[in-house]
C-alpha cells in the first residue's frame, strides 16, 4: 500500500471539500518536519495494519447508508478478530427537536467517582490506564476554579472543607475544538459534539483548544478482556477507538439517542446528575435551568457549554 | 454550602438560555397518557421491624410494630429519644436533628407514622413525612434535581427509575454516608493524555 503522505500516491481519499491529504500536507508546512512526523505517526503505521477499504473511507457526512452499513459490519468483524468479542455497532442519529443538556448538583456530589468508573466500562476504555472521560476535582470550599483542584485524591469522601466537581466534555454550543480541526473529524450535531475516530488524524489541535481538558489522546490500542467489552456500541460513540486518535465524552449518544440515561447518570449513587432535552419545557433539565442558579465553567470564553453546575 | 455559594461569585451568574418554544421546532409533546410512569424503588418491609430471619426469597422477615406494641407505648416510661431506650431497639443509631420518636411515629398506633398536624400516615407514604420538614429537597426531587434517576430520560421510550428518600437516607441517621472513592484514571494530570 502506498505511503499516504507521499505526493505521488494516486489514492484519492475523498471527492473534494474536506480533503485529508491536503490538510496533512498543510500540517507538514506549518509544523516543521519533526513535529509533523510525530503528528503523523499514527497515520504512517496505519497503512501497515489497516485495510484499503478503511483508507478509502469517505468523510462521515458523505457516506451513503450502504457505505455506513458496510463500515459498521467491518468494524464489528475487526473487533471480533482483535478482541474476540461479538459486538453490535450502529449509528443512531440525533432525535429531531432534542438538544441534550446536563446539570450537576455540587451540593450533593460526594466525589465517589462512580461516574468515572461507569464511563470507563461503558465506553470501552483501556483497562491499563483506567481511562475515563470524566475527572472529578476535589475543590476547596470557596473556589470555583477547577484548575486548582486535585483529581487524584484517594481518601474517604467527602473530606471536610472540600467539595467535588466532575468535569467532562461540556458539549459547547460554540466549541473551540471543532473550529481548530484541520480535517473536520469533529463537528457539532444538533444534540452535541462528536468525533469520527476513523477520520481523525491525531494532530491533537482540538485537545489543546479545549479549555476544559475534556479531550483525551488514545496513545495505544486499548486493552480490554473479551468478557469486559461492552457490546452495545455506536460509530460516533463507544466503539473501541484505534490508537492515535482523540476521543471525548459524547453524552453516551449510543444510549441517549435512544432515550436512555448516560452511564454516568445511571451510576451516580448521590443523584447529583440531571440529564434531558433542553427543548422540552417539561423536562427536568429545563426545571433546573429555570429554577436554580446555574453556573458554567469559564463563561467568559464564550464557549456556551450545555453542561451546567448548580448548588441547592 | 454557604461558603461555596459566596465563592461561586467568582464565576458570573449564568443566565438560563432563552428557549424558543416555537411549535414548528419544538417536539410534538406526547399525551401524558403515553408516558411511562416513574418507578420508585422502595425498600421492602418499610415500617416493619427487621429481624435476622430470612424468608424463602432471601429477604429478612419483618414483623409489624403492633406485634409487640399493641396500640401504643410499651416502654416504662415510654422512651422519647434514642438514648432513653434501655431494653430494645438499642442497635439503632439516631442522629436526625433533635427529633423525638413521636415526631414521626404515631404514639397510639405504632403501625403508622404521624404528621405534625396529628394526621396518621401509612409507611407507604413515608415520602410525605420527609416532605413535611424538607419541602425544598422534596420539590427538587419532584423535578429530578434531587435524588437522581436511572433508566430513561425520554419517558415516551421507557420509564424513569428513581430511589425513595429512605434508600439514600436512613430516617434515623439521614446523613449520606462517607465512602471510599473508585480509582482515578492513571493519566498524566490535566489534558496531557
Amino acid at each position: 500500500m502506498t505511503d499516504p503522505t507521499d505526493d505521488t500516491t494516486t489514492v484519492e481519499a475523498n471527492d473534494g471539500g474536506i480533503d485529508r491529504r491536503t490538510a496533512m500536507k498543510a500540517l507538514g508546512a506549518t509544523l516543521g518536519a519533526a513535529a509533523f512526523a510525530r503528528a503523523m505517526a499514527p497515520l504512517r503505521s496505519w497503512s501497515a495494519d489497516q485495510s484499503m477499504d478503511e483508507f478509502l473511507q469517505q468523510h462521515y457526512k458523505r457516506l451513503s447508508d450502504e457505505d455506513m452499513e458496510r463500515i459498521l459490519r467491518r468494524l464489528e468483524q475487526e473487533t471480533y478478530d482483535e478482541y474476540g468479542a461479538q459486538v453490535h455497532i450502529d449509528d443512531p442519529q440525533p432525535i429531531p427537536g432534542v438538544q441534550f443538556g446536563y446539570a450537576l448538583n455540587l451540593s450533593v456530589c460526594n466525589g465517589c467517582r462512580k461516574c468515572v468508573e461507569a464511563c470507563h466500562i461503558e465506553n470501552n476504555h483501556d483497562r491499563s490506564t483506567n481511562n475515563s472521560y470524566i475527572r472529578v476535582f476535589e475543590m476547596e470550599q470557596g473556589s470555583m476554579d477547577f484548575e486548582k483542584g486535585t483529581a487524584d485524591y484517594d481518601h474517604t469522601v467527602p473530606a471536610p472543607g472540600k467539595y467535588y466537581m466532575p468535569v467532562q466534555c461540556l458539549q459547547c454550543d460554540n466549541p473551540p475544538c471543532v473550529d481548530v480541526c484541520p480535517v473536520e473529524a469533529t463537528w457539532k450535531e444538533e444534540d452535541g459534539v462528536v468525533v469520527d475516530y476513523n477520520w481523525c488524524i491525531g494532530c491533537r489541535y482540538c485537545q489543546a483548544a479545549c479549555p476544559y481538558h475534556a479531550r483525551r489522546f488514545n496513545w495505544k490500542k486499548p486493552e480490554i478482556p473479551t468478557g469486559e467489552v461492552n457490546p452495545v456500541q455506536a460509530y460516533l460513540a463507544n466503539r473501541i477507538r484505534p490508537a492515535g486518535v482523540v476521543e471525548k465524552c459524547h453524552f453516551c449518544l449510543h444510549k441517549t439517542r435512544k432515550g436512555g440515561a448516560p452511564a454516568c447518570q445511571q451510576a451516580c449513587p448521590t443523584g447529583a446528575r440531571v440529564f434531558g432535552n433542553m427543548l422540552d419545557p417539561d423536562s427536568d433539565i429545563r426545571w433546573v435551568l429555570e429554577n436554580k442558579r446555574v453556573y458554567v465553567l469559564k463563561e467568559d470564553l464564550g464557549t456556551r457549554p450545555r453542561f451546567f453546575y448548580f448548588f441547592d | 454550602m454557604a461558603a461555596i455559594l459566596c465563592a461561586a461569585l467568582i464565576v458570573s451568574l449564568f443566565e438560563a438560555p432563552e428557549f424558543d418554544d416555537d411549535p414548528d421546532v419544538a417536539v410534538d409533546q406526547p399525551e401524558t397518557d403515553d408516558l411511562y410512569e416513574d418507578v420508585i424503588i422502595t425498600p421492602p418491609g418499610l415500617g416493619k421491624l427487621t429481624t435476622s430471619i430470612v424468608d424463602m426469597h432471601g429477604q429478612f422477615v419483618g414483623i409489624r410494630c403492633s406485634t409487640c406494641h399493641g396500640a401504643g407505648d410499651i416502654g416504662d416510661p415510654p422512651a422519647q429519644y434514642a438514648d432513653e431506650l434501655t431494653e430494645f431497639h438499642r442497635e439503632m443509631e439516631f442522629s436526625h436533628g433533635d427529633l423525638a420518636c413521636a415526631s414521626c411515629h404515631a404514639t397510639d398506633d405504632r403501625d403508622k407514622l404521624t404528621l405534625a398536624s396529628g394526621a396518621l400516615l401509612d409507611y407507604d407514604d413515608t415520602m410525605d413525612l420527609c416532605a413535611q420538614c424538607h419541602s425544598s429537597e422534596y420539590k427538587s426531587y419532584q423535578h429530578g434535581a434531587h435524588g437522581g434517576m436511572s433508566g430513561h430520560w425520554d419517558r415516551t421510550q421507557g420509564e424513569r427509575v428513581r430511589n425513595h428518600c429512605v434508600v439514600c437516607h436512613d430516617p434515623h441517621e439521614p446523613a449520606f454516608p462517607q465512602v471510599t472513592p473508585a480509582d482515578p484514571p492513571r493519566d498524566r494530570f490535566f489534558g496531557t493524555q
Side-chain angles (χ1 to χ4, degrees), chain A residues 96-98 100 105 107 110-113 116-117 127-130 135 137 141-144 147 149 151 155-158 163 204 207 213 215-217 219 256 258-261 265-266 269-271 274-275 277-278 280 284 286-289 292 294-296 299 308 310-311, chain B residues 1 3-17 19-21 25-27 29 136-137 139-140 142-155 157-158 160 162-163 168 176-193:
Chain A
V98 173
F100 292 137
N105 186 342
S107 314
N110 66 354
C112 70
R113 288 207 195 93
V116 175
E117 187 177 75
R127 294 299 183 256
S128 69
T129 52
N130 200 31
R135 283 200 191 89
F137 292 93
Q141 281 188 8
S143 161
M144 274 290 276
E147 308 269 5
H155 46 72
T156 314
V157 290
Y163 78 103
R204 302 172 64 190
Q207 202 182 8
H213 313 289
R215 287 178 174 252
R216 308 279 189 278
F217 185 66
W219 288 97
T256 50
K258 295 171 184 164
Q265 183 190 33
Q266 185 92 12
T270 66
V274 185
F275 180 85
N277 178 11
M278 295 208 291
D280 173 0
D284 293 346
R286 268 291 277 280
W287 189 84
V288 170
L289 294 178
K292 301 279 180 183
V294 296
Y295 305 91
V296 297
E299 192 197 352
F308 308 88
F310 66 103
F311 295 95
Chain B
M1 284 306 120
I4 299 178
L5 275 177
C6 299
L9 296 172
I10 297 171
V11 289
S12 47
L13 180 60
F14 179 82
E15 293 290 330
F19 292 100
D20 180 7
D21 288 331
V25 224
V27 233
Q29 291 305 318
S136 99
E137 279 77 13
K139 185 160 187 218
S140 290
Q142 287 175 302
H143 293 97
H146 189 97
M149 57 155 267
S150 60
H152 290 79
W153 64 266
D154 181 355
R155 292 197 294 138
Q157 303 210 47
R160 202 156 55 169
R162 314 211 51 202
N163 279 318
C168 296
F176 201 82
Q178 281 203 320
V179 294
T180 308
D183 290 336
R186 283 179 290 278
D187 55 2
R188 276 176 277 159
F189 185 62
F190 262 161
T192 48
Q193 158 121 341

Side-chain angles (χ1 to χ4, degrees), chain B residues 105-127:
Chain B
H105 292 286
T107 39
D108 41 13
D109 181 354
R110 278 285 178 241
D111 288 330
K112 293 265 164 53
L113 294 166
T114 179
L115 293 177
S117 63
L120 297 186
L121 210 59
D122 285 328
Y123 278 91
D124 286 345
D125 301 323
T126 298
M127 209 180 281

Side-chain angles (χ1 to χ4, degrees), chain B residues 47 49 63-72 74 109-112:
Chain B
L49 186 75
I63 31 176
R64 290 165 67 91
C65 316
S66 51
T67 315
C68 303
H69 282 275
I74 48 178
D109 181 354
R110 278 285 178 241
D111 288 330
K112 293 265 164 53

Side-chain angles (χ1 to χ4, degrees), chain A residues 292-306:
Chain A
K292 301 279 180 183
R293 285 160 52 109
V294 296
Y295 305 91
V296 297
L297 297 180
K298 303 189 184 179
E299 192 197 352
D300 46 319
L301 298 180
T303 49
R304 284 185 286 132
R306 288 189 189 161

